[in-house]
Amino acid sequence: MNKIIVLGSANMDMVMRTSRVPEIGETMRGEGFFLSPGGKGANQAVACAKMGADTWFMGKVGDDIFGGSLADGLASYGVRTDYMVREPNVTTGVAAITVCNGNNSIILDGGANNQVTPEYIRRYERELLSASAVMLQLEIPMETVYEAVRMLKGKVPIFLNPAPAVPIDDEILRGVDYFTPNEIECRMYTNIEIRSTEDAFHALHILRGKGIQYPLITLGEKGIAYYNGTENVYKEALKVKAIDTTAAGDTFSGTLAAMIVTGKSMDEAVDLAQRASAIAVTRLGAQEAIPGIEEIVKQ
């Protein structure tokens, strides 16, 4: 069985390209505006599904035009939405994304994602416990993330992508199997500023000391550092021309989980996740930028 439940956020991304980041109080011209289904949870669910995993999304959207569009989009990628709720009288989460020279800045209104409560997920406890893996991020209320970890700890492998980064109790971190911060997020949990491979390995040691079984630190264009169950490993990034990094981390996280549940080793899973992420950043958008498994196995 390779059933993955992604418990997390779904947003409609409103994206525009600019030549530079505007200063406070400044109005400037942008170009290329488009709407793109997003949210870290939904993006990671799409990545899992495109990698062939039996993927189910658990979360909430509003009973509005964006909510219907997001639900239809997930279904079109093969993500099951049986556990997804359209919350009445609440707006769907939205993200305003500015893309500048291949990098992005994001302002987020959580909307219906803020209604993903512990009570909601307790209704699906049996389903969560039946999964091969459960994926979490931090765009839903923290009390819900905590409830999920306590419910699943030691019973179902937990993948936690700590974005956007906020403090997490050590008790909760001890229940996490796979932890995938980027280098900035990692600093919050280790107090290590990563400037070298040695720094990255030191941060991995600290994360393992908190009880995390498999910490992985994504380093953008510098690559990745991770613990594979036996030793710390550093791998360089694949060289590509990035035009939009919006989906990079979600593509990596979703691909990693999909590969792990299908029996790949950590090293194999990381290789494939790096390939998928490298392809995603060469395309605009989020879910539509994520490659399928047939693209990464050709590389």
Side-chain angles (χ1 to χ4, degrees):
M1 184 178 73
N2 64 345
K3 179 181 180 180
I4 298 176
I5 295 179
V6 182
L7 169 60
S9 58
N11 301 316
M12 182 60 76
D13 294 346
M14 299 180 291
V15 187
M16 187 179 297
R17 296 196 305 273
T18 66
S19 59
R20 59 179 175 82
V21 178
E23 297 180 18
I24 293 174
E26 179 185 14
T27 299
M28 62 177 291
R29 292 184 181 276
E31 63 180 9
F33 174 79
F34 64 96
L35 294 173
S36 174
K40 291 186 178 298
N43 291 347
Q44 291 178 21
V46 170
C48 290
K50 286 190 174 183
M51 294 302 142
D54 178 19
T55 308
W56 300 62
F57 178 75
M58 187 176 291
K60 293 188 177 184
V61 294
D63 190 19
D64 54 21
I65 190 169
F66 284 167
S69 178
L70 292 176
D72 291 344
L74 287 171
S76 74
Y77 290 118
V79 178
R80 293 287 298 270
T81 59
D82 304 54
Y83 312 144
M84 185 176 178
V85 171
R86 296 189 66 178
E87 193 75 10
N89 304 315
V90 177
T91 59
T92 297
V94 295
I97 301 176
T98 302
V99 180
C100 178
N101 297 322
N103 295 306
N104 62 73
S105 300
I106 302 173
I107 301 174
L108 177 68
D109 178 353
N113 297 306
N114 297 329
Q115 305 300 315
V116 180
T117 61
E119 293 74 19
Y120 161 69
I121 68 165
R122 280 197 286 269
R123 301 206 310 260
Y124 297 103
E125 180 173 2
R126 184 174 63 179
E127 288 82 1
L128 286 162
L129 289 170
S130 74
S132 303
V134 171
M135 300 192 71
L136 301 164
Q137 320 78 37
L138 305 182
E139 288 183 342
I140 59 174
M142 286 303 294
E143 59 265 29
T144 306
V145 174
Y146 281 25
E147 178 71 11
V149 173
R150 293 185 180 117
M151 180 191 297
L152 303 171
K153 179 180 179 180
K155 301 172 184 175
V156 177
I158 298 171
F159 290 74
L160 174 58
N161 177 225
V166 297
I168 301 175
D169 290 350
D170 283 352
E171 171 214 349
I172 297 301
L173 289 176
R174 283 193 292 273
V176 173
D177 299 283
Y178 299 86
F179 189 67
T180 56
N182 64 27
E183 58 189 309
I184 305 302
E185 294 154 357
C186 182
R187 189 164 60 201
M188 174 171 286
Y189 306 108
T190 64
N191 290 317
I192 299 294
E193 185 167 354
I194 298 175
R195 296 173 176 160
S196 66
T197 302
E198 290 73 21
D199 291 338
F201 285 179
H202 185 196
L204 290 174
H205 176 75
I206 292 172
L207 293 172
R208 288 185 60 215
K210 293 178 180 291
I212 297 165
Q213 290 195 48
Y214 300 104
L216 305 95
I217 307 168
T218 57
L219 304 170
E221 62 183 14
K222 295 189 293 291
I224 184 169
Y226 64 98
Y227 179 70
N228 67 3
T230 303
E231 61 182 348
N232 291 331
V233 179
Y234 168 77
K235 289 184 178 179
E236 293 185 352
L238 299 175
K239 303 302 180 185
V240 296
K241 182 175 176 56
I243 64 170
D244 184 358
T245 59
T246 301
D250 296 332
T251 300
F252 180 90
S253 295
T255 303
L256 178 79
M259 295 302 107
I260 292 293
V261 301
T262 56
K264 299 290 187 185
S265 70
M266 177 67 85
D267 295 321
E268 291 173 317
V270 168
D271 281 345
L272 292 167
Q274 279 192 297
R275 293 180 194 177
S277 184
I279 293 172
V281 302
T282 66
R283 302 168 175 173
L284 284 173
Q287 294 171 17
E288 62 269 46
I290 299 170
I293 190 169
E294 69 282 353
E295 295 180 81
I296 66 172
V297 296
K298 291 179 181 177
Q299 303 300 310

